[in-house]
Amino acid sequence: MSAPVGKKAKNSKPQKKVVAAPLLSNAKPARKQHVDQPAEGGHEKLPSGEGERLQKVLAKAGVASRRAAEEMIAQGRVEVDGAIVTEQGLRIDPQHAVVRVDGTRVMVREELVHIALNKPKGWQSTMSDDLGRPCVGDIVAERIAAGQRLFHVGRLDADTEGLLLLTNDGDLAHRLMHPSFQVPKTYLATVNGEVHNKSVGKRLRDGVELDDGPAKVDRFQVLELGEGRSLVKIVLHEGRKHIVRRLLDAVGHPVTRLVRTNIGPVALGDQRPGTLRVIGRDEVGKLYEAVSL
């Protein structure tokens, strides 16, 4: 028999009002931001004395102060292993837990390193070189000598300058290099000839037949013209060897200088050749988002 009209069922509880949270990070809103109960199969609680308190882990990761982190937890903005956490003092294992704030993953494992290098022209994309040529390993020699294990994500040929990622994060590196995740890369190329004809851009976007199969760009833009040369911008997710040079050569505009400026959300900016920059927490989170980690 149904309950009388106007009376609440015994098990029903008033819905908790969700208060708008102050903006404490630049992360995008979580898809499950207002879920009241943790999802099944979420984080397994650790016994007292094991792991670290979640708010302390967030503070150490640079998300916010410990007190602000506690507010974020109370507001349901923090997710651990796929489940929203609202209780204070939850202990987690930073080495294995997957933590997200407002839907963006936060790197909480202290030993993971993510570095942006502006590789100079003429340097090899290797950690050592048998012929004694200058290589990426020379630039990070002090870090390696101090016990830090680093490897480069993909390669740039010796004549190509610009952004190269260095890390010890194997999961991220593997996915960034895998073509199925299609992380876009942006290049600035100085080419022979003035690229006036719009058909050049159309050919590159539609696809060009190369020796090892067809290839195409995602975007193509002419930035400067003059004195028999052009500066063009190319965005593509292809990773084949010399792909940008081969594409531009195929449409009649050989490359004289090539610089990679972006890998997904990470930009070279005004970083000088031969210098290193530790990639920021927000950038790392966006890289993880780009490869579905």
Side-chain angles (χ1 to χ4, degrees):
M1 186 174 176
S2 60
V5 177
K7 289 188 180 181
K8 292 181 181 177
K10 284 183 182 179
N11 294 331
S12 82
K13 292 182 182 178
Q15 291 293 317
K16 195 175 180 180
K17 236 180 182 180
V18 178
V19 181
L23 185 61
L24 295 174
S25 79
N26 293 322
K28 75 175 189 178
R31 286 188 292 274
K32 305 184 215 173
Q33 189 167 339
H34 303 300
V35 175
D36 291 323
Q37 298 297 326
E40 286 185 14
H43 178 72
E44 184 179 343
K45 291 184 181 180
L46 295 178
S48 178
E50 291 188 17
E52 286 189 74
R53 292 183 184 275
L54 179 57
Q55 57 266 45
K56 183 179 178 182
V57 171
L58 291 173
K60 284 171 68 175
V63 174
S65 69
R66 199 175 300 189
R67 179 168 292 185
E70 289 173 353
E71 291 177 15
M72 297 166 86
I73 293 168
Q75 292 157 0
R77 299 172 60 190
V78 181
E79 184 180 314
V80 179
D81 294 337
I84 298 294
V85 173
T86 54
E87 67 173 283
Q88 301 295 335
L90 176 71
R91 304 188 78 90
I92 70 168
D93 178 1
Q95 305 302 314
H96 300 101
V98 175
V99 180
R100 288 185 168 85
V101 175
D102 292 343
T104 296
R105 185 165 177 177
V106 175
M107 292 314 302
V108 295
R109 290 171 57 186
E110 290 182 11
E111 79 277 12
L112 288 183
V113 179
H114 307 87
I115 295 172
L117 164 67
N118 185 350
K119 187 191 85 64
K121 184 177 180 179
W123 288 59
Q124 306 296 314
S125 292
T126 56
M127 300 310 288
S128 63
D129 187 77
D130 294 338
L131 300 177
R133 295 171 296 183
C135 64
V136 167
D138 298 335
I139 298 174
V140 293
E142 287 186 11
R143 288 174 174 266
I144 293 171
Q148 204 169 72
R149 178 178 171 268
L150 290 171
F151 50 86
H152 47 85
V153 182
R155 291 173 179 264
L156 291 175
D157 63 72
D159 288 334
T160 300
E161 311 162 50
L163 184 60
L164 187 66
L165 301 184
L166 302 170
T167 187
N168 57 1
D169 189 340
D171 291 340
L172 178 61
H174 172 73
R175 294 198 178 204
L176 283 173
M177 289 187 284
H178 201 284
S180 65
F181 290 98
Q182 301 189 345
V183 177
K185 300 172 185 68
T186 304
Y187 296 82
L188 294 181
T190 302
V191 301
N192 286 334
E194 296 187 6
V195 187
H196 291 290
N197 197 336
K198 289 184 179 180
S199 67
V200 171
K202 186 176 187 305
R203 281 186 66 193
L204 290 168
R205 286 188 292 269
D206 289 346
V208 176
E209 191 67 38
L210 301 176
D211 293 342
D212 53 354
K216 62 181 180 178
V217 307
D218 300 325
R219 292 193 292 280
F220 177 82
Q221 182 182 1
V222 179
L223 300 178
E224 291 178 14
L225 294 171
E227 299 180 356
R229 293 182 299 180
S230 305
L231 178 65
V232 300
K233 178 179 178 181
I234 284 181
V235 181
L236 76 171
H237 56 267
E238 279 270 12
R240 280 181 274 171
K241 191 173 182 180
H242 303 309
I243 189 68
V244 175
R245 294 177 184 275
R246 290 194 290 148
L247 278 168
L248 289 169
D249 193 52
V251 295
H253 293 283
V255 173
T256 59
R257 186 187 179 196
L258 186 61
V259 181
R260 183 159 69 189
T261 61
N262 298 72
I263 298 175
V266 181
L268 189 63
D270 57 2
Q271 191 175 332
R272 289 175 299 151
T275 60
L276 302 169
R277 174 177 71 85
V278 175
I279 299 173
R281 177 179 56 82
D282 289 345
E283 292 173 293
V284 175
K286 288 174 182 173
L287 278 175
Y288 267 79
E289 186 178 348
V291 295
S292 304
L293 273 176

